[in-house]
């Protein structure tokens, strides 16, 4: 059982690498952003309640996101998981640790993917051309997401540093190069 948090600013490549790592290590992959977008696409009440936050580039409320993950873990606790975009606040991390402890599990590693801001904006604008994600189309919304990351999310690194679970890799380079760096960290944890 291996629970890995992929961590970093919007556009750092978490989603792409998480999918690849999940396949390589036979783990589940949960992206809370994807779960929220699918709720919105299905027009559920939950989705409607989160639409405003996403379109402004703000975080959805901790209570809602945590319950989404709790729900997911009910059916996906038989093997480990790559967490992509979660936890994004210290409050989420604290509840998450308890949630895993209740099922005799824990976070094994948080890996930070380091990418400079200008590269992040460039990548997201490019992605927005194909993804159709509204929050990827406006430079103002993108910059706001990066600011929210700095103010509310970056600090979650301290939470896992204190537990001795934090590592960093360089997120620049080809997808294969970044994948290999991530695998090197994960292989040390197994
Ligand atoms: P990105 O990493 O490019 O911002 P995501 O798909 O991870 O893309 O997230 C998109 C949006 O979904 C975020 O801007 C935020 O509004 C919401 N979101 C995703 N995960 C969380 C979370 N753990 N807590 C709060 N909001 C979240």
């Amino acid at each position: 059982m291996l629970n890995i948090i992929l961590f970093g600013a919007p556009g750092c490549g978490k989603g792409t690498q998480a999918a690849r790592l999940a396949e390589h290590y036979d783990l589940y992959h949960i992206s809370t952003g994807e779960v929220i977008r699918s709720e919105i696409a299905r027009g559920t009440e939950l989705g409607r309640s989160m639409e405003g936050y996403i379109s402004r580039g703000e975080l959805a409320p901790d209570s809602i996101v945590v319950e989404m993950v709790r729900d997911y873990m009910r059916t996906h606790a038989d093997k480990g998981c790559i967490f992509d975009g979660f936890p994004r606040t210290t409050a989420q991390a604290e509840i998450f640790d308890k949630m895993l402890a209740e099922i005799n599990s824990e976070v094994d590693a948080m890996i930070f993917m380091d990418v400079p801001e200008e590269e992040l904006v460039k990548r997201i604008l490019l992605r927005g051309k194909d993804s159709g994600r509204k929050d990827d189309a406006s430079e103002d919304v993108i910059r706001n997401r990066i600011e929210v990351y700095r103010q509310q999310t970056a600090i979650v690194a301290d939470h896992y540093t204190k537990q001795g679970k934090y590592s960093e890799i360089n997120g620049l380079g080809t997808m294969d190069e970044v994948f290999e760096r991530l695998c090197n960290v994960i292989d040390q944890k197994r």
Side-chain angles (χ1 to χ4, degrees), residues 55-167:
S55 62
R56 290 189 296 270
E58 295 166 9
L59 294 184
D62 288 336
S63 55
I64 299 182
V65 178
V66 162
E67 284 317 306
M68 280 173 8
V69 174
R70 197 187 296 281
D71 221 43
Y72 182 84
M73 295 308 285
R74 282 199 184 101
T75 47
H76 296 82
D78 56 310
K79 58 185 186 186
C81 194
I82 309 272
F83 295 89
D84 158 13
F86 179 88
R88 244 168 158 106
T89 62
T90 301
Q92 290 180 17
E94 284 167 354
I95 303 172
F96 184 45
D97 286 355
K98 283 194 198 123
M99 190 192 300
L100 289 177
E102 278 164 19
I103 54 171
N104 293 319
S105 188
E106 63 175 336
V107 169
D108 294 287
M110 166 182 266
I111 313 175
F112 171 65
M113 300 170 62
D114 192 12
V115 174
E117 172 159 347
E118 285 319 305
E119 174 71 15
L120 296 171
V121 176
K122 220 166 67 188
R123 286 186 189 180
I124 298 176
L125 282 170
L126 198 70
R127 177 175 80 186
K129 289 190 183 146
D130 302 323
S131 73
R133 273 177 60 174
K134 274 191 249 150
D135 63 338
D136 282 353
S138 142
E139 185 159 341
D140 284 349
V141 174
I142 295 170
R143 296 231 181 244
N144 190 45
R145 275 154 62 203
I146 295 172
E147 192 53 31
V148 167
Y149 168 79
R150 283 221 189 86
Q151 305 225 339
Q152 300 179 52
T153 303
I155 193 157
V156 183
D158 292 356
H159 180 87
Y160 289 102
T161 301
K162 283 184 201 140
Q163 298 182 13
K165 294 175 176 172
Y166 179 80
S167 310

Side-chain angles (χ1 to χ4, degrees), residues 29-44:
H29 167 205
I30 178 174
S31 151
T32 42
E34 282 296 329
V35 176
I36 296 171
R37 280 189 290 280
S38 108
E39 292 285 338
I40 292 174
R42 282 164 35 224
T44 64

Side-chain angles (χ1 to χ4, degrees), residues 18-32:
R20 218 168 140 182
L21 290 169
E23 196 184 332
H24 184 77
Y25 291 102
D26 188 26
L27 300 169
Y28 294 118
H29 167 205
I30 178 174
S31 151
T32 42

